[in-house]
Amino acid sequence: MKKIFLVLTCLMIVADSCFSQQLPLFSIFNAESYLINPGAAGSKGYAPVRLIARDQWTGMENAPSTQLLSGHMNSKGIGIGVILFNDKWGNTGRAGVKLTYAYHLKINSETNLGIG
């Protein structure tokens, strides 16, 4: 009985201190690695700008919805970028801006290492 009481007490303490949040779901990370890895900022030979919108459970009220605008560029081995996002899930939501910086180290003639 003491073990059960101790386990329940520990679970209540842990549950009381836990917080959770819904993170945006990016299902196209293969097409845009920059969203997951800030080291990819400036990895292209051009400056890509992407607008992404995703709605889940279409037609249902308070369904999850994500909008995102991102862009990054390379300047002399330094990658910089910005991500503007809006994510809504039911009555809660998050919106914000993420700024990224990456240093690109040339490994050989075909390979760069992006540290972001």
Side-chain angles (χ1 to χ4, degrees):
M1 186 68 178
K2 286 184 179 181
K3 288 182 182 179
I4 293 174
F5 180 73
L6 181 62
V7 169
L8 288 175
T9 302
C10 289
L11 285 174
M12 287 183 352
I13 291 171
V14 169
D16 184 49
S17 64
C18 291
F19 299 96
S20 67
Q21 61 188 5
Q22 173 70 24
L23 295 176
L25 178 63
F26 302 122
S27 62
I28 60 164
F29 63 89
N30 288 334
E32 183 57 67
S33 60
Y34 171 63
L35 297 177
I36 306 298
N37 180 10
S43 61
K44 310 282 186 196
Y46 53 94
V49 175
R50 306 256 172 145
L51 176 62
I52 298 170
R54 178 186 172 136
D55 287 330
Q56 299 178 63
W57 309 337
T58 304
M60 295 186 69
E61 189 176 333
N62 293 326
S65 175
T66 303
Q67 297 82 34
L68 180 97
L69 176 65
S70 70
H72 59 95
M73 61 181 274
N74 190 330
S75 176
K76 300 178 185 174
I78 305 292
I80 56 172
V82 63
I83 300 173
L84 303 160
F85 65 92
N86 178 39
D87 188 48
K88 186 175 180 197
W89 177 280
N91 294 329
T92 62
R94 292 184 337 159
V97 177
K98 293 182 181 182
L99 302 173
T100 58
Y101 169 87
Y103 178 74
H104 293 277
L105 181 64
K106 192 166 189 78
I107 302 295
N108 60 36
S109 62
E110 299 176 5
T111 308
N112 285 335
L113 174 64
I115 302 168

